[in-house]
Amino acid sequence: MKHPDLREEVARVAKQLTGSGLVTGTSGNVSARTPEGDILVTPSGIDYEVLKPEDVVLVETGGRVREGDLEPSSETPMHTGIYRARADVGAVVHTHSTYATTLACLGWPIPPVHYMLTTLSEDGRIPLAPYTTYGTEELAGYVSEALGASRNACLLQNHGTITVGKNPEEAFSRTVVLEEMAEIYYKTSIAGEPVLLSAKEVEEVAAKISGYGQTRPLPTENEG
Ligand SMILES: [Zn+2]
């Protein structure tokens, strides 16, 4: 079976999604691009707690199954559409995480309410892809449009979240940040009117953070 390490990472991240409460049951999915340009994606209808690396399905970017006994996720077209649109993307994570999906159901994109949003989107804004039925090419198109050339996250109206990264771990860590930012934006909006960062403040912090990634990890909540 090809790509044992990448299969293991996809399965591990799927378990982390359920373990962290970002995914319940089989509502989310994870994929990664292989060096040959095919996609490893979590299967449909399997509890991630018992998911094994060999259960992960290998599909072509057109969606045809190359290797695997199980059905690929019903949301595979959304994943393959993102890979076709973005050559820089190595992994995709999709969830229905509670706070981000709450915003998506309210029809609220996230404005630059916190500096960590610049790790997901240079302009500090998380857009909302319009609603259409899951698993369709139409949705894949809306999501690719919302992500544009360089965003790492977007919301899906009345549905959930998408994050992308170089690898499944990075896409997962961005899902964690997205859910945290969504919770903060939701709670501050309920309590009053959140103070937004200015375009200049967003630009400055985005430049500082993009310098971080090379030599040290992203700042955490423990930093000064
Ligand atoms: Zn979904």
Side-chain angles (χ1 to χ4, degrees):
M1 195 162 261
K2 288 181 199 160
H3 314 296
D5 294 347
L6 201 51
R7 285 174 172 281
E8 202 277 321
E9 193 178 348
V10 169
R12 189 176 66 243
V13 164
K15 286 185 211 302
Q16 283 175 342
L17 283 170
T18 45
S20 61
L22 291 163
V23 160
T24 53
T26 60
S27 68
N29 28 78
V30 181
S31 68
R33 179 160 22 209
T34 70
E36 295 81 28
D38 293 324
I39 313 300
L40 283 164
V41 63
T42 44
S44 175
I46 277 224
D47 190 333
Y48 294 151
E49 294 298 326
V50 297
L51 184 72
K52 298 187 294 292
E54 57 267 35
D55 295 331
V56 176
V57 187
L58 185 69
V59 301
E60 296 172 356
T61 48
R64 198 177 70 86
V65 174
R66 269 196 199 280
E67 198 177 75
D69 298 326
L70 298 168
E71 283 287 312
S73 162
S74 55
E75 302 194 88
T76 299
M78 185 164 63
H79 292 250
T80 52
I82 294 168
Y83 292 112
R84 289 198 303 270
R86 286 275 296 271
D88 62 312
V89 168
V92 176
V93 168
H94 166 61
T95 77
H96 302 169
S97 66
T98 307
Y99 280 99
T101 305
T102 298
L103 299 185
C105 293
L106 284 164
W108 294 2
I110 307 179
V113 69
H114 191 288
Y115 79 92
M116 280 295 284
L117 281 162
T118 60
T119 66
L120 303 177
S121 175
E122 255 184 10
D123 62 3
R125 295 175 183 278
I126 309 299
L128 183 67
Y131 179 79
T132 190
T133 312
Y134 80 93
T136 59
E137 288 297 334
E138 193 180 23
L139 181 57
Y142 289 161
V143 170
S144 297
E145 210 169 294
L147 289 174
S150 64
R151 276 201 188 85
N152 298 317
C154 71
L155 302 177
L156 281 56
Q157 178 139 14
N158 301 99
H159 184 163
T161 71
I162 282 284
T163 57
V164 301
K166 289 190 295 292
N167 51 54
E169 286 290 351
E170 186 175 64
F172 170 77
S173 69
R174 286 173 174 161
T175 295
V176 174
V177 173
L178 177 60
E179 178 65 1
E180 186 185 15
M181 294 297 110
E183 182 173 357
I184 288 166
Y185 180 49
Y186 178 77
K187 288 183 171 173
T188 53
S189 298
I190 295 304
E193 196 173 336
V195 177
L196 301 184
L197 298 172
S198 69
K200 184 167 177 286
E201 287 166 335
V202 167
E203 202 177 303
E204 279 174 10
V205 76
K208 186 178 170 87
I209 282 181
S210 64
Y212 261 100
Q214 316 304 320
T215 52
R216 50 185 289 197
L218 285 174
T220 69
E221 62 189 34
N222 297 324
E223 122 249 38

